[in-house]
Amino acid sequence: MNPPSKNAPDFERYSRQILFAGIGESGQHRLAAASAIVVGCGAIGASTAALLARSGVGRLRILDRDFVEPSNLQRQALFDDSDAADSLPKAVAAEQKLRAINSSISVEGIVADLTPGNAEKLLSGFDLILDGTDNFETRFLLNDFAVKNRLPWIYAAAVGSYGVTMTIRSCVTACLACLLESGEQLPAGVEETCDTIGVLAPVVQLISSLESAEALKLLAGKEEALHGRLVSSDVWTGRFQSIPIARNPDCRACSRREFSYLEGEAQPHITMCGRDSVQIHERSRSLDLAALGARLASSAEAVRHNEFLLRFRVAPYEMTVFADGRAILKGSQDPSVARSLYARFIGS
Ligand SMILES: [Zn+2]
């Protein structure tokens, strides 16, 4: 018997998936050679990343701008108490966990905020983009990038007990702009956020399962098995819906090919970031967090840092600064407060 080739998947590990007729040996080889980027590693992103790592997708990139907090642990299945106690960036914690789940694939965590300016650099080179984001600004940016570059991506969102997902293939299916910019009435719940009405862990798992199954079909080369519908469900009421979405012949993105989010003229420098928080990303630079911590020791309270971020309190606010110069201010949604605290403590 010939020894397995270097890139051949471990057939014992994936035996139950290979036995499944829809995947088979050839599908498993395709998965091993495939790559995907998970944008946003909150609840849906973490579960989707874990499912794809276990399934043997050969290369995964996890992109996230945030750090693990105790309020994440109820539903963000890759993280645990110690990640929250250490305030680890989610991308860093996810990379560690995914490598422990499957050491035979390549996993890379990147701590960054996706913007029009860095989208090309961060998203390029992957076969599939998976939505783990929590906002429509970023989803429209993903949609613009994917449609422009004719890459597939999978929209997924959950809030309360309700979730929705749709697989988008440029010029084959409707895109997110066909769905949301055409003036049709939106499915209930699409515009709520989990910071205002909460979210149940089971709906997160359901939606990430649906997203991951579609991802496996695409990456294993089984496009004919894609369901081609907007699927929504509510785990509290038990209501499930699956509806076909037509392309809009006058769609801004997939018909007129106007990529206004990717061009990003209107990208604000201070953006809402959850309830009672704002993110400041006016300019990117490299910060020496240890030196900044020493400098802040006399003027701020509870200053602490790890190799990825520094946090301090100036009552009633709490600021978290990342090594790339980005910061998240908790305790206010007022951009002028954020700007002035940033200038005073970090420097303008
Ligand atoms: Zn469209």
Side-chain angles (χ1 to χ4, degrees), residues 151-171:
L151 282 170
W153 78 282
I154 306 179
Y155 159 50
V159 65
S161 57
Y162 172 88
V164 59
T165 180
M166 184 170 89
T167 301
I168 293 166
R169 289 192 292 158
S170 178
C171 302

Side-chain angles (χ1 to χ4, degrees), residues 119-120 123-124 129 141-149 151 262:
E120 191 80 38
L123 300 176
S124 292
I129 299 170
L141 180 58
L142 293 181
N143 189 67
D144 272 11
F145 179 87
V147 169
K148 183 180 178 193
N149 293 285
L151 282 170
L262 198 54

Side-chain angles (χ1 to χ4, degrees), residues 154-234:
I154 306 179
Y155 159 50
V159 65
S161 57
Y162 172 88
V164 59
T165 180
M166 184 170 89
T167 301
I168 293 166
R169 289 192 292 158
S170 178
C171 302
V172 177
T173 67
C175 79
L176 193 69
C178 292
L179 177 68
L180 298 180
E181 290 180 359
S182 62
E184 305 282 321
Q185 200 186 348
L186 299 181
V190 159
E191 288 181 318
E192 310 271 17
T193 84
C194 62
D195 281 329
T196 54
I197 65 164
V199 61
L200 288 180
V203 72
V204 165
Q205 297 293 343
L206 175 66
I207 294 298
S208 65
S209 293
L210 293 169
E211 183 180 29
S212 303
E214 290 280 281
L216 291 182
K217 296 174 201 173
L218 274 165
L219 297 176
K222 308 291 178 174
E223 285 88 351
E224 69 281 3
L226 294 165
H227 56 63
R229 289 165 162 253
L230 177 77
V231 177
S232 64
S233 70
D234 186 321

Side-chain angles (χ1 to χ4, degrees), residues 2-11 14 18 25 28-29 32-33 56 104:
N2 293 327
S5 79
K6 190 163 165 284
N7 296 319
D10 173 347
F11 282 99
Y14 303 113
I18 291 169
E25 280 196 21
Q28 195 65 47
H29 276 287
S104 69

Side-chain angles (χ1 to χ4, degrees), residues 269-324:
H269 295 303
I270 296 192
T271 48
M272 298 305 139
C273 174
R275 184 170 52 93
D276 212 22
S277 297
V278 285
Q279 178 179 232
I280 306 134
H281 41 101
E282 283 185 298
R283 79 193 171 89
S284 119
R285 55 169 137 183
S286 177
L287 287 177
D288 180 340
L289 296 176
L292 180 62
R295 187 152 60 76
L296 288 174
S298 59
S299 53
E301 298 156 47
V303 181
R304 61 195 190 99
H305 72 90
N306 59 29
E307 63 184 294
F308 312 104
L309 55 84
L310 176 142
R311 178 173 301 152
F312 59 92
R313 278 187 63 77
V314 180
Y317 310 109
E318 181 184 84
M319 189 172 270
T320 303
V321 188
F322 293 84
D324 64 1

